[in-house]
Amino acid sequence: MNPALQIDTPMTRAETRASLSLAAIYMLRMLGMFLVLPVLSVFARELPDATPQLVGFAISAYGLTQAIFQIPFGLWSDRYGRKRLIVLGLLLFAAGSALAALSDSIYGIIAGRALQGAGAVAGVVMALVADLTREEHRTKAMALIGVSIGISFALSMVIGPVLSGWLGLHGLFWIITALAMLSIVVLYAVVPTPAVSRFHRDTEVRPASLKEVLANRELLRMDLGIFCLHLVLTATFVVLPLILRDTLQLQTAKHWHIYLPVFALALASMVPFVVLAEKRHKMKVVFVSFIGLVAVSNVGFAWLQHDFWSVFGLLYLFFTGFNLLEAMLPSLISKVAPLDLKGTAMGVYSTAQFLGAFVGGAGGGWVYGHYGIPYVFLFCAAVALLWFMVALGMKAPRGLSSLMVNVRGLTQDQASSLSRRLLQIPGVAEAVVLAEDGVAYLKIDKEKLDRMALNGLLQELAA
């Protein structure tokens, strides 16, 4: 047996390199996915045969195929190899981008976006991160991935309009194609190849556990939450760029003039509430309140969309709520999910996220086509209100964090004994030790954890 002797050791250079390079790949891919979001509804409606509903499909078609292939790609990577599946997914993404770039009809854009989503490598990237990092550093590596997603979204809102003003929609899709190919270069030039790839319960879906995850009401609340959040986001961007251009008379290339300050203010404003939620253990109060904020901002958009400062203020409220909820939901999944089912729970969660994006684009386009822009926002407000009502019934999550420790080489009896001993350490709230995985899965209270006792137990096991 060769367990980790300390839980506070720094990441190795190899782990840091792997984490940063895979975060870069994730960021490049998500940047490619989001770049067209703030401009597609403006450009796509000028295409032959375009209707509001078809434009909605063009914006969100990737969500359906991403939801379909998200879990299978992860399972296939266990059999055929991580890097092979990532390359396949990136090639599909590049092919979809090129198809959209070459298309002069709305149907070609829809087909290209759907093909983009079919390259669903997010779960495979997470599994490769797990292959290349020790258990006790997995949370840090995943946090880097999370930061990369946030950066890619913010960058897309700012540079998407600028690039489209220079290059047009076709040029924007060619840039996205190049980003996908660059990701393949990074994968082979920078990302290490793992000595051994194996199944990781914290990052991968275990099909046999899907029934258990789907029966967990608290997890289903989170799944509904991310479904609703991305539904509202995508439906909003079916019509928001049209408001900025047609109502506020702001040229598409200058939409960043409103997105940049809004995002900066929203990110700054959410920080105190993150501290309140995590440090002061007010997670439920903050979470439910900000769902309400998203609902209120959409109600406001239904009536107050005719002058710059009203739109600016409502966008500020919306993105403050969106950014906070987007950050809190994965944390809530980690707190709620059974220790050995986090990967499966996250797989279902991601599938719900992409389904929400698809329904948001399709539904938002249909509502816009039949009833007009104000009713799209009322549709979003109704969805947010439904989520608000469901979230009111959630249990207040405990202020716990996840921790994994390498304990390979244990027998079943030793694993059971270690679970009991871990639970005796102050600050360890839950402990599951799986001999077949060689991992101890813990939920800890960071403020109460006796780190000396935990490190001492690990050193005793190593002796």
Side-chain angles (χ1 to χ4, degrees), residues 189-200:
V190 185
V191 178
T193 298
V196 177
S197 289
R198 61 188 182 86
F199 178 79
H200 305 275

Side-chain angles (χ1 to χ4, degrees), residues 239-261:
V239 295
L240 178 61
L242 303 178
I243 292 174
L244 298 185
R245 194 184 79 165
D246 299 338
T247 304
L248 301 188
Q249 299 297 305
L250 190 64
Q251 294 179 6
T252 305
K254 295 182 179 180
H255 286 187
W256 70 272
H257 290 181
I258 194 168
Y259 289 134
L260 179 59

Side-chain angles (χ1 to χ4, degrees), residues 19 139 264 266 387:
S19 300
T139 301
W387 179 18

Side-chain angles (χ1 to χ4, degrees), residues 94-113:
S97 304
L99 175 59
L102 293 167
S103 297
D104 291 318
S105 74
I106 190 66
Y107 297 106
I109 300 292
I110 292 171
R113 291 285 280 171

Side-chain angles (χ1 to χ4, degrees), residues 224-293:
L224 175 66
I226 197 63
F227 176 90
C228 292
L229 186 63
H230 278 259
L231 184 159
V232 169
L233 175 72
T234 313
T236 295
F237 275 94
V238 171
V239 295
L240 178 61
L242 303 178
I243 292 174
L244 298 185
R245 194 184 79 165
D246 299 338
T247 304
L248 301 188
Q249 299 297 305
L250 190 64
Q251 294 179 6
T252 305
K254 295 182 179 180
H255 286 187
W256 70 272
H257 290 181
I258 194 168
Y259 289 134
L260 179 59
V262 160
F263 260 88
L265 288 171
L267 289 172
S269 299
M270 64 178 271
V271 172
F273 294 98
V274 172
V275 174
L276 180 65
E278 294 285 355
K279 301 297 184 182
R280 302 293 183 181
H281 307 302
K282 300 293 184 181
M283 182 78 72
K284 180 178 177 179
V285 172
V286 172
F287 183 71
V288 173
S289 298
F290 275 73
I291 298 172
L293 185 66

Side-chain angles (χ1 to χ4, degrees), residues 351-408:
T351 300
Q353 172 183 331
F354 292 114
L355 281 175
F358 172 70
V359 174
W366 186 88
V367 173
Y368 170 43
H370 284 78
Y371 301 103
I373 287 177
Y375 285 90
V376 175
F377 292 114
L378 291 177
F379 167 59
C380 292
V383 171
L385 182 60
L386 170 65
W387 179 18
F388 178 85
M389 298 300 293
V390 172
L392 282 175
M394 69 183 281
K395 297 178 182 177
R398 293 180 294 172
L400 302 177
S401 302
S402 297
L403 178 66
M404 293 180 295
V405 182
N406 173 5
V407 291
R408 293 188 179 92

Side-chain angles (χ1 to χ4, degrees), residues 12 30 45 162 171 219 269 341 379 384 387 423:
T12 65
M30 297 308 293
R45 73 173 184 173
V162 175
L219 288 176
S269 299
L341 296 180
F379 167 59
W387 179 18
L423 288 171

